[in-house]
Amino acid sequence: MEDIVSIFKAADKDNSGTLTIDEVKDVVEDIIIRYPQVELYLKSKHLDDVMDLLKDSEGNYRKEINIEEFKLAISQVDSQMRSLPATAQVAAQQGAYLSRCFNLREGSKTNPEGPLRFIGSGRHEFRLFRYRYSGQFAPLGGEQTAAELLGDWVSVGHSTQWLWYSVYAMWSLLFP
């Protein structure tokens, strides 16, 4: 939310104090790259596009929006934002991301890959970290495990315990 004014000013090319649909479309991709929670919010609400946030109460696209309407649309997303779970899955992905950033550090200064800077000029050196959920296992005791995997697949029982052993063994071999 603290970047709203900067984003609005960067998008308002004609300095009219309002954003047209085209002006919003020019910064949408960078907003999604910089703030991954926007894309997650759209998916959770079954919205096709960020532009759907800019509809009026009757469901019609506005021709122009002012900064207050823009803040309201973005605050819907911000209010749903949650922090990442404190799990090994998140830590492993963050470690791989950080390693990649260190490896690309020199080249990123001359050829940045991140989103546009809304304050200042140019681009950020790196793309932002994006967590990708790949499921979870929960041992239940008595040689039973519960699993939730991609596609909302849920399983409980002895066979799930063996699946967990297999996945754990594979990860242990691949990432010692």
Side-chain angles (χ1 to χ4, degrees), residues 9-113:
K9 285 180 181 177
D12 189 11
K13 303 268 192 264
D14 60 1
N15 294 319
S16 65
T18 61
L19 298 181
T20 64
I21 300 262
D22 290 335
E23 287 175 324
V24 173
K25 285 182 180 179
D26 285 344
V27 295
V28 161
E29 185 178 328
D30 289 301
I31 289 172
I32 288 175
I33 291 170
R34 177 124 171 92
Y35 303 101
Q37 67 267 28
V38 172
E39 186 175 25
L40 296 173
Y41 177 82
L42 294 173
K43 285 180 183 177
S44 73
K45 298 295 182 188
H46 305 288
L47 300 173
D48 297 324
D49 189 0
V50 173
M51 302 309 293
D52 290 339
L53 293 173
L54 306 178
K55 290 181 177 179
D56 61 19
S57 59
E58 296 171 2
N60 301 316
Y61 289 107
R62 299 179 179 115
K63 291 182 181 180
E64 292 185 337
I65 59 167
N66 62 31
I67 193 163
E68 293 305 318
E69 293 166 327
F70 189 67
K71 282 181 182 178
L72 182 62
I74 300 301
S75 70
Q76 292 173 15
V77 175
D78 228 30
S79 68
Q80 301 294 314
M81 193 172 94
R82 293 173 282 177
S83 57
L84 296 174
T87 64
Q89 187 179 131
V90 173
Q93 289 179 28
Q94 287 173 328
Y97 168 80
L98 187 57
S99 173
R100 180 183 173 277
C101 290
F102 283 138
N103 289 332
L104 298 175
R105 188 166 187 174
E106 286 304 313
S108 68
K109 291 179 182 178
T110 57
N111 190 20
E113 65 180 13

